[in-house]
Amino acid sequence: MTTRVCKLIGAPVQDGAGRRGCEMGPSALRTAGLAEAIASLGHRVDDLGTLCAPPPRPASFPNPALKNLPQVAAWVETLAEVAFAASAEGSMPVFMGGDHSLSAGTVAGLARRAALLGRPLFVLWLDAHPDFHSLRSTESGNIHGTPVAYLTGQPGFAGGLPKLAATVEPGHVAMLGIRSVDAAERRALTDSGITVFDMRAIDEHSVAPLLRQVLERVRALDGLLHVSLDVDFLDPSIAPAVGTTVPGGASFREAHLVMEMLHDSGLVSSLDLVELNPFLDERGRTAMLLVDLVASLFGRRVLDRPTRSF
Ligand code: MG
Ligand code: MG
């Protein structure tokens, strides 16, 4: 087994979500034993603490629906720097969110790192939603619905979010678990080059062959692989602590299989855990499930699982 140096970073961003509570995510993940779970598998864990909200950054964009743009823009700028620094020397940053707008920052910094290394950055987006709105097309104004469009260099962000040092090639983005897409996103996704495996694809083919295709491409191009796990990827019956539940999500075993295959591939270089809203949880069960999934990603095997009642 390869021993990793894992850097835990709390990113208590909630300005990009429609409801408050994601700022408690890092605390809940620590309480559920994230660091201990990773360390128990033989990896080194450095908990770098939880970031403080930076002062709002001057930002404007002609869409009156946008919420908290200067706050989110400041987080994006800060997290891009933090992610760039934390990914030096082969370390594996794990960002404990925070809503999904934080990925606009983390992936921006990781794309800069990958460009410096001369390797392509691939992104696996595990989510009910493609998060492919621009600052122009979003009607809710919740910026957590925009990071993939931003990171792949789509139009509709100038003046709003910081200029990217490096974009992610749309052909290097794969989405898994999608089941809620707005009309504007559907139009923009068509011909974007992004791979979209929706829940129907998972139902028809099962998750393993779909993910294997993605991993084979990453390996063939010697890419780095960032995984962005939105809690709403999971079925709400097993993961209620999220403000954007959509029925029909990934099951317990599908989600673990994804994580186990990611571990076996040895390709994952960074991870976001986003949209956990502990205010909506039931006695911490969603936070504990996330910790279990991360343990699978770091090498826990099915046969190692303790028997436990819920
Ligand atoms: Mg999302
Ligand atoms: Mg989502």
Side-chain angles (χ1 to χ4, degrees):
M1 184 188 71
T2 320
T3 301
R4 306 294 302 260
V5 177
C6 172
K7 301 209 187 280
L8 292 186
I9 297 160
V13 184
Q14 68 177 1
D15 293 311
R19 42 201 307 183
R20 285 186 280 184
C22 286
E23 70 164 3
M24 296 184 279
S27 302
L29 289 166
R30 284 198 183 88
T31 305
L34 183 64
E36 293 83 352
I38 299 170
S40 74
L41 294 159
H43 304 284
R44 192 176 118 196
V45 181
D46 295 341
D47 190 337
L48 305 186
T50 293
L51 298 165
C52 292
R57 180 186 197 273
S60 67
F61 196 89
N63 178 352
L66 286 173
K67 296 173 193 154
N68 309 318
L69 179 61
Q71 286 82 1
V72 175
W75 271 118
V76 169
E77 187 172 54
T78 297
L79 284 164
E81 288 300 325
V82 169
F84 180 73
S87 56
E89 293 160 8
S91 291
M92 177 166 173
V94 174
F95 297 94
M96 302 179 290
D99 73 65
H100 222 161
S101 68
L102 73 86
S103 302
T106 60
V107 180
L110 298 164
R112 184 178 152 211
R113 170 65 59 198
L116 193 70
L117 295 171
R119 295 174 64 186
L121 178 68
F122 285 76
V123 175
L124 178 64
W125 202 260
L126 302 172
D127 203 320
H129 310 91
D131 296 341
F132 204 63
H133 274 291
S134 70
L135 296 182
R136 198 182 311 283
S137 74
T138 174
E139 290 176 15
S140 72
N142 299 324
I143 300 173
H144 69 170
T146 70
V148 180
Y150 170 68
L151 292 163
T152 54
Q154 309 301 313
F157 291 93
L161 294 183
K163 206 170 173 318
L164 289 159
T167 56
V168 179
E169 190 69 41
H172 296 168
V173 178
M175 299 176 171
L176 195 62
I178 302 298
R179 58 194 186 279
S180 173
V181 185
D182 293 341
E185 291 180 298
R186 188 175 295 111
R187 279 194 299 275
L189 273 170
T190 310
D191 304 324
S192 69
I194 290 174
T195 301
V196 181
F197 293 130
D198 59 12
M199 282 310 299
R200 174 161 178 174
I202 294 180
D203 290 340
E204 288 197 18
H205 305 285
S206 85
V207 78
L210 305 177
L211 182 57
R212 204 169 288 129
Q213 281 178 43
V214 176
L215 296 173
E216 278 168 8
R217 281 208 65 219
V218 179
R219 191 185 308 284
L221 296 175
D222 188 29
L224 300 169
L225 178 59
H226 176 76
V227 176
S228 205
L229 171 59
D230 186 319
V231 172
D232 69 28
F233 168 66
L234 304 161
D235 193 81
S237 62
I238 55 168
V242 62
T244 50
T245 48
V246 188
S251 70
F252 182 89
R253 270 311 307 161
E254 283 166 337
H256 272 287
L257 179 57
V258 168
M259 297 297 147
E260 289 154 9
M261 289 179 66
L262 288 169
H263 171 261
D264 293 350
S265 78
L267 294 168
V268 179
S269 49
S270 48
L271 174 67
D272 300 323
L273 301 169
V274 302
E275 297 286 342
L276 175 65
N277 186 335
F279 204 65
L280 305 175
D281 211 353
E282 296 163 1
R283 301 178 70 91
R285 64 190 283 233
T286 310
M288 287 189 279
L289 174 58
L290 284 180
V291 168
D292 273 352
L293 289 169
V294 173
S296 287
L297 177 64
F298 277 89
R300 187 189 286 164
R301 301 187 160 273
V302 174
L303 293 176
D304 302 335
R305 290 189 59 79
T307 300
R308 187 163 77 189
S309 61
F310 283 92

